[in-house]
Amino acid sequence: MDPRIIAVSIFALLIGIRSFRKKRSTPPGPAGLPLIGNMFDLSKRESWQVYLDWSKRYDSDILTMKVPGAQFFILNSATVIQDLLVKRSNIYSNRYVKDALRTDTLCRIQTSWLIPFMNNTEKWREHRRLFHREFDTVDASVVNKAHEVQAARRLLRRLLTSVDHEGELRLAAVDAILSITYGISPKDLNHPFIKAPEDLNTIFADVARGGYTVDVFPFLRHLPTWFPGVEFHKTAQTGTTLANILLMGPYVQVKTEMAKGTAVSSVASRFLSAVQDGTISETEQDVLRNVCGNAYLGNLAVCALYNFVIAMALYPEVQKKAQKSLDTLLEGNRLPDFNDFSDLPYLSAVVNEVLRWHPVTPFAIYHVSTEDDTYEGYHIPKGAMMIPNMWAILHDETIFGPDTHKFIPERFVKADGSVKLDLSELDLAFGFGRRACPGRRKFCYTLWIMAASLLTAYTITDPCGMDGSVLTADSHLEYTNAMVR
Ligand code: HEM
């Protein structure tokens, strides 16, 4: 054979092997242990910072880790997240695949009505469409905002006599969402509707951080319930009960109140009236009932309310500045309402900074890919778990300016005093692409009215730790490693 042909063939073969290798190569990441892979690496303390440090060590914004049955990709920059979860959201909008790691405990809890766990299907799209219609449109927000103002006023009134300030914030967050959704306003923390979403969110958070051995070794699910160490059976049972309280408890109460003619106007009462009038189908009724249950579970908003209070106590000069803008506008004559929104840009900047400073969901919720993909030469297989390090991008100094670990609302203020981003535009704090949080606009307004009301009536001082020690802006605040913190 002609030696030139042989040389060309070998060259072509080498190029082929190289490009195949490149296509199949995986991003860098820490080497795991035999059998369990990176199980311990995935649940490091303050893992958002650990993952970011690894990005520097491995010189890559995308990292990979493996545990039996699943491969995770950590996305550590806004560019990678934008490229994959937003621009390719047709591929990266699924959730946990059935029977994959970590889903075992969840599968036992009745979660089919929970939007965050639905796969990218028509059912999920219909739920999101109706969620938007009921909570996000201009018409809906007029009624919803009236409820939010009332919930904020009730908080101020309770704080006059209560000493359990933390409990009052928890109550206020549930009060706001329950009154918008069901017209129900719990009077105290013993109300059965207060604890259910908190406990269910705790179970989901435990599952998400791999708290159950069955998620790693699925064969354990075949062991009988009395067997030591199979506590997940009990957790799953508790979770199912809680999920039912969430979905059916307030919904049934509204139905009963409507029958008695005592129901307060709410999302649920409006659609139940439409059912009585025969203007919506039974399927739509079921979807709307689920949508209400999802909004109720979204009460994780309380974590952001805590962060607001902590920030005000640690940064008194910020608090004073926000209070001054409120006092100048209200002149001590009245409490704020949503008509004041555009006149208080600094307060909007404070709320933006609360969401950025300590994001409530540092890793959003994992997205799952539905087909094989290639990115920057790396192979990403179908079923890969994509973990966006939201904390990392919200602390990226190239996006938000210097000292991102400090609470500086001025980073959101333009030279003319107006706010850089409208509240609802701080999208980075609310997830990505098609799965971005549908409650974000509604929630931003809840936080805004609570913040405005609190700062008008009270001054938050004397920050101290659990052990009574005095905290300052330089103290290290420890956050849990959960999906929601
Ligand atoms: C501090 C307030 C909140 C934050 C920071 C937040 C953040 C998030 C994030 C990061 C996601 C995942 C997005 C992704 O997968 O990329 C999400 C999903 C979701 N959020 Fe929120 N959220 C908040 C409040 C709320 C509220 C008040 C509601 C309800 C009224 C709500 C309803 C939902 C729902 C239903 C989903 C699932 C969306 C889906 O999977 O398609 N959230 N949220």
Side-chain angles (χ1 to χ4, degrees):
M1 196 188 282
D2 183 343
R4 279 172 308 176
I5 294 181
I6 295 176
V8 169
S9 308
I10 290 173
F11 183 67
L13 191 67
L14 287 176
I15 296 269
I17 289 172
R18 209 166 150 236
S19 68
F20 177 75
R21 278 218 186 113
K22 199 170 178 207
K23 192 171 160 226
R24 305 300 300 177
S25 72
T26 49
L33 295 168
L35 285 180
I36 57 167
N38 298 101
M39 202 166 100
F40 296 126
D41 294 323
L42 277 163
S43 52
K44 293 251 184 235
R45 241 172 95 193
E46 305 203 339
S47 41
W48 43 90
Q49 181 63 60
V50 175
Y51 295 169
L52 198 56
D53 294 343
W54 283 346
S55 255
K56 285 181 199 125
R57 187 194 303 169
Y58 295 105
D59 193 24
S60 173
D61 285 347
I62 176 164
L63 305 171
T64 189
M65 285 190 255
K66 276 185 173 173
V67 288
Q71 186 168 6
F72 295 86
F73 290 80
I74 316 289
L75 315 178
N76 267 337
S77 73
T79 309
V80 177
I81 291 175
Q82 186 75 12
D83 284 350
L84 294 175
L85 304 191
V86 181
K87 291 189 187 151
R88 299 186 197 175
S89 62
N90 56 326
I91 300 180
Y92 294 101
S93 292
N94 240 26
R95 290 297 195 201
Y96 304 90
V97 260
K98 201 171 178 300
D99 286 338
L101 182 94
R102 291 162 194 267
T103 54
D104 206 61
T105 311
L106 286 179
C107 285
R108 284 154 193 271
I109 301 173
Q110 287 311 308
T111 53
S112 60
W113 57 276
L114 283 166
I115 301 174
F117 299 121
M118 286 179 193
N119 271 331
N120 181 357
T121 57
E122 191 43 48
K123 174 182 165 186
W124 166 68
R125 281 187 285 278
E126 179 65 356
H127 277 71
R128 283 196 64 116
R129 193 178 67 75
L130 293 187
F131 194 109
H132 172 72
R133 192 183 78 190
E134 297 302 326
F135 287 94
D136 235 7
T137 54
V138 177
D139 282 354
S141 77
V142 172
V143 186
N144 295 351
K145 282 179 180 164
H147 277 302
E148 282 165 320
V149 170
Q150 291 313 316
R153 306 261 160 106
R154 285 191 285 272
L155 169 64
L156 297 189
R157 226 169 291 134
R158 284 194 306 270
L159 284 173
L160 283 174
T161 50
S162 171
V163 285
D164 180 7
H165 298 161
E166 187 254 339
E168 294 305 340
L169 294 178
R170 275 169 59 210
L171 181 56
V174 184
D175 184 9
I177 195 69
L178 272 181
S179 42
I180 290 173
T181 314
Y182 301 102
I184 296 171
S185 171
K187 300 280 171 288
D188 58 56
L189 285 165
N190 298 322
H191 195 286
F193 296 158
I194 300 282
K195 256 186 94 45
E198 290 175 350
D199 290 350
L200 192 58
N201 271 327
T202 304
I203 293 180
F204 289 150
D206 282 350
V207 172
R209 65 168 168 239
Y212 294 93
T213 0
V214 65
D215 295 325
V216 182
F217 302 110
F219 68 87
L220 290 176
R221 67 170 173 255
H222 301 301
L223 296 177
T225 47
W226 51 263
F227 202 83
V230 290
E231 76 295 341
F232 62 90
H233 284 302
K234 209 165 152 236
T235 311
Q237 231 164 30
T238 314
T240 303
T241 311
L242 291 171
N244 282 337
I245 295 177
L246 245 117
L247 182 63
M248 298 309 292
Y251 174 74
V252 170
Q253 184 170 324
V254 177
K255 272 186 145 178
T256 314
E257 282 171 4
M258 284 186 71
K260 288 197 283 189
T262 55
V264 174
S265 174
S266 66
V267 171
S269 75
R270 288 197 296 276
F271 84 74
L272 282 166
S273 299
V275 174
Q276 280 169 2
D277 301 344
T279 48
I280 62 168
S281 69
E282 270 191 27
T283 322
E284 198 166 341
Q285 177 187 346
D286 285 350
V287 176
L288 283 164
R289 184 202 57 209
N290 294 351
V291 160
C292 287
N294 276 280
Y296 175 23
L297 188 66
N299 99 333
L300 55 93
V302 68
C303 307
L305 207 49
Y306 289 159
N307 282 336
F308 163 73
V309 170
I310 295 169
M312 292 303 99
L314 292 179
Y315 292 85
E317 68 291 357
V318 171
Q319 179 171 210
K320 265 197 209 114
K321 195 168 167 184
Q323 281 176 321
K324 194 166 170 227
S325 66
L326 281 156
D327 291 346
T328 310
L329 183 73
L330 308 172
E331 296 176 329
N333 291 330
R334 62 180 178 87
L335 288 168
D337 60 36
F338 283 108
N339 295 322
D340 303 317
F341 186 78
S342 51
D343 294 323
L344 294 166
Y346 190 68
L347 194 66
S348 296
V350 168
V351 171
N352 272 346
E353 186 68 347
V354 168
L355 295 166
R356 185 206 65 78
W357 183 51
H358 282 294
V360 169
T361 49
F363 296 116
I365 304 176
Y366 307 166
H367 290 217
V368 175
S369 63
T370 44
E371 52 186 82
D372 283 358
D373 193 19
T374 305
Y375 179 70
E376 298 281 316
Y378 295 133
H379 173 66
I380 303 176
K382 176 180 171 178
M385 306 268 215
M386 313 303 284
I387 307 184
N389 190 349
M390 216 161 81
W391 183 93
I393 54 172
L394 290 170
H395 287 77
D396 184 339
E397 299 198 342
T398 62
I399 303 175
F400 293 103
D403 297 328
T404 46
H405 58 286
K406 292 195 177 147
F407 189 89
I408 309 176
E410 283 71 11
R411 66 178 89 251
F412 289 107
V413 180
K414 288 190 207 160
D416 66 0
S418 63
V419 70
K420 252 187 212 155
L421 288 171
D422 182 10
L423 277 188
S424 55
E425 286 167 3
L426 188 66
D427 281 349
L428 294 179
F430 289 98
F432 310 96
R434 296 180 192 184
R435 303 273 352 184
C437 175
R440 63 189 183 277
R441 279 185 205 91
K442 196 222 79 54
F443 169 73
C444 283
Y445 290 115
T446 306
L447 187 55
W448 185 89
I449 192 66
M450 294 280 174
S453 307
L454 281 169
L455 292 185
T456 304
Y458 297 99
T459 297
I460 302 160
T461 56
D462 300 332
C464 64
M466 302 283 274
D467 56 359
S469 58
V470 176
L471 296 179
T472 68
D474 293 325
S475 304
H476 179 72
L477 303 178
E478 192 151 336
Y479 282 80
T480 59
N481 220 5
M483 182 168 70
V484 174
R485 57 197 203 129

